[in-house]
Amino acid sequence: MTHQLSQQDARRIALRAQLLTAERPTDLMDLVRHLTLLPTEPTAPIATSYDLLCWSRLGSAYDPGELETAVEDQRLVHYLGFYRPVEDLPLHRAEAPYWPGRGTLKPWVHEVADWFAANEECRQDILSTLRAEGPLPATRLPDTCQRTWGSSGWTNNKNVQQMLWFMLQRDEVAVVSSTGREKLWDLAERVYGHAPLPDPDEALAERDRRRLRALGIARPTGPADRAEPTYVREAGEPAVIEGVRGTWRVDPSLLEGLEEFEGRTAVLSPFDRLVMDRKRLDAVFGFDYLLEMYKPREQRVWGYYALPILYGDRLVGKLDATAEREEGVLRVDAVHEDEPFTPAMTHAVDAEIEDLAGWLGVEVLRMDSPAGR
C-alpha cells in the first residue's frame, strides 16, 4: 500500500521524527541516539550548530558542557563530519574494508583511488608519525605526497586533509577529539579496537532504517554521499505527498494521530537535521532558504547566519541575529517574515528569541523595529 499524505501530514511526520513537537525530549544522549548524529560545523555567530540543535530540542535546560563531556568520554565520536553515538560506529565502518566502494564505481571514484595509491609514501608516513607521537592535529602530520590534490574548491592543495579523509573511510585513522576547527587524529585501532564489523549490506539497511526514523519521511534515492546520505532506499513504506512529484518513504510508526499534532515555536541552526536537505525542505515545507555566510555581504537577503523559524507545523521566517558576548547582548538585526505574522506568531517568536538570549546569558538588543514590539 502507498500512503497518501497531505503536505501538512508530511510536515508533521518530519517534525515528529525530529523531536520538534510540543513534547520536548529531556536527555541529551537519548536525543542524539534518536537523531543518529549532530553536525560539527564550528561557526558560531550565535552558538555552534550542534549546541543550537540541542538547545532547540532540549530547551534552556541544555548544558553545552554535557555535550563536551560526552565527546571527551567518547560516548559521542567525530566520524565522517558528524558527532555520532559510539555504539553506532560499526554500522558506518562496515564499508571500510571495501573502500573506495562496492559495485560499479563512477570515474571520479577511480580518480580518487589513483591519487591515493600514488601517494602511498605519504600514507605510510602519516601512520608512522601517529604510531610514534599520536594523537596529533593535521598540521603536525607530514605532507610527503608525490601528487598534489587538485580541486576547484577549498580543498585544493590540502593534501594531508584529503589523505586523512580517505584513511578515515578505510578505518586506518580516527578522530579522537575535536575542539573548534582543530581535530586530533590517531590510529583507528587505538580508538575502535579490533571487534568484528557487521555485514555491509545488513549495516546499510540498518542505517537506512535509523535515518528514516530520524527524518520521518525521505526520498528512496538521491545523490551519493559517503558521510550521510539524504535518501533511505527501501526503509519504511512507500508514500506520495499531495502536490509534490515523485515517491517517498515514510516511517509508518509516525502516521497515527497526525490530526492531534501539537507543535511549538523554535529557531533552528542552519545545519539542523530538519533543514540540511534543501530539496526536501522545499518539497515538504515549501520553505525558501539558503545559508548566506558564503555570499558577499551585498548579496545576502536574510543575513550571514539566519536561523529558520518554526511555528507550529510550518517554517515561517528567518532570524538574523548575532551574539555579541563582550557586550552581553543578542543583537537582532531582522526577523524576516515569509508571510505577515499574526500577533500570536509575533509574540511566540519574540518569546523564543528571549529564551535563546536567556540560555546564552545575554540580553536581547532589537535593531529591527524596537518601537513596534
Side-chain angles (χ1 to χ4, degrees):
M1 183 182 80
T2 299
H3 298 281
Q4 309 290 320
L5 304 175
S6 68
Q7 292 190 24
Q8 184 181 69
D9 290 339
R11 295 196 304 269
R12 291 180 172 186
I13 289 167
L15 291 168
R16 275 184 170 179
Q18 279 290 291
L19 307 180
L20 283 166
T21 63
E23 184 179 356
R24 290 181 182 269
T26 58
D27 183 82
L28 173 63
M29 287 303 301
D30 287 346
L31 168 68
V32 183
R33 289 186 183 106
H34 177 85
L35 298 182
T36 75
L37 55 79
L38 292 177
T40 56
E41 165 59 45
T43 304
I46 298 174
T48 61
S49 56
Y50 42 88
D51 282 334
L52 278 174
L53 186 150
C54 293
W55 168 79
S56 66
R57 271 73 171 178
L58 299 168
S60 295
Y62 166 62
D63 178 4
E66 185 180 355
L67 177 60
E68 292 176 7
T69 300
V71 173
E72 291 171 359
D73 294 346
Q74 294 198 335
R75 286 176 287 144
L76 294 177
V77 178
H78 192 299
Y79 187 77
L80 294 181
F82 297 94
Y83 290 125
R84 306 177 192 267
V86 66
E87 61 267 27
D88 289 358
L89 289 193
L91 295 174
H92 297 276
R93 295 171 48 226
E95 299 286 341
Y98 307 94
W99 188 92
R102 296 182 293 153
T104 303
L105 303 179
K106 294 184 177 181
W108 69 266
V109 179
H110 290 288
E111 292 174 4
V112 165
D114 289 344
W115 180 87
F116 189 85
N119 290 306
E120 174 64 14
E121 179 181 347
C122 182
R123 170 180 168 269
Q124 292 294 340
D125 289 343
I126 288 174
L127 291 172
S128 296
T129 303
L130 289 176
R131 188 171 294 111
E133 304 176 32
L136 292 171
T139 52
R140 294 274 306 279
L141 295 173
D143 180 359
T144 54
C145 285
Q146 302 299 307
R147 277 176 52 186
T148 297
W149 177 261
S151 168
S152 58
W154 72 272
T155 61
N156 190 50
N157 293 330
K158 303 288 187 180
N159 297 330
V160 171
Q161 286 88 335
Q162 286 303 116
M163 181 62 72
L164 288 169
W165 176 247
F166 300 135
M167 293 173 71
L168 175 67
Q169 296 177 45
R170 288 164 54 94
D171 247 7
E172 295 177 327
V173 299
V175 178
V176 293
S177 68
S178 59
T179 304
R181 296 185 179 276
E182 187 169 65
K183 306 179 187 71
L184 289 181
W185 296 84
D186 205 348
L187 300 178
E189 61 197 50
R190 291 176 178 164
V191 180
Y192 305 143
H194 299 281
L197 297 177
D199 175 82
D201 290 323
E202 293 177 3
L204 186 69
E206 180 62 21
R207 292 202 309 271
D208 289 343
R209 287 190 288 268
R210 295 189 187 195
R211 187 178 309 113
L212 183 59
R213 182 189 66 178
L215 295 174
I217 187 164
R219 293 289 193 184
T221 60
D225 189 330
R226 174 70 176 90
E228 187 60 30
T230 59
Y231 53 90
V232 296
R233 280 170 280 258
E234 297 181 1
E237 297 176 358
V240 294
I241 303 174
E242 179 184 6
V244 180
R245 296 177 61 182
T247 59
W248 299 76
R249 305 292 295 187
V250 65
D251 182 342
S253 70
L254 299 172
L255 291 170
E256 296 296 326
L258 291 174
E259 66 281 356
E260 301 167 2
F261 176 90
E262 186 177 355
R264 60 182 173 87
T265 304
V267 293
L268 307 175
S269 161
F271 296 92
D272 195 284
R273 193 86 197 260
L274 186 73
V275 303
M276 276 200 311
D277 181 354
R278 304 292 193 246
K279 289 185 178 180
R280 175 179 176 270
L281 181 66
D282 178 60
V284 174
F285 285 88
F287 188 61
D288 182 18
Y289 180 70
L290 180 68
L291 178 59
E292 297 181 303
M293 70 181 191
Y294 306 108
K295 282 187 173 184
R297 181 187 298 271
E298 63 275 9
Q299 295 181 18
R300 295 174 192 152
V301 177
W302 303 306
Y304 174 81
Y305 199 76
L307 308 184
I309 300 172
L310 173 70
Y311 180 79
D313 62 11
R314 295 180 298 134
L315 289 162
V316 298
K318 297 92 177 171
L319 169 65
D320 180 13
T322 306
E324 305 284 1
R325 297 181 184 276
E326 291 186 2
E327 289 77 14
V329 298
L330 176 66
R331 192 188 73 237
V332 176
D333 290 309
V335 176
H336 299 282
E337 302 176 6
D338 285 14
E339 60 186 73
F341 284 7
T342 65
M345 293 168 70
T346 297
H347 176 75
V349 172
D350 286 351
E352 190 70 3
I353 293 171
E354 290 286 348
D355 284 349
L356 175 59
W359 173 66
L360 294 169
V362 298
E363 300 290 330
V364 176
L365 176 63
R366 301 297 299 236
M367 306 297 290
D368 48 345
S369 55
R373 294 183 179 268

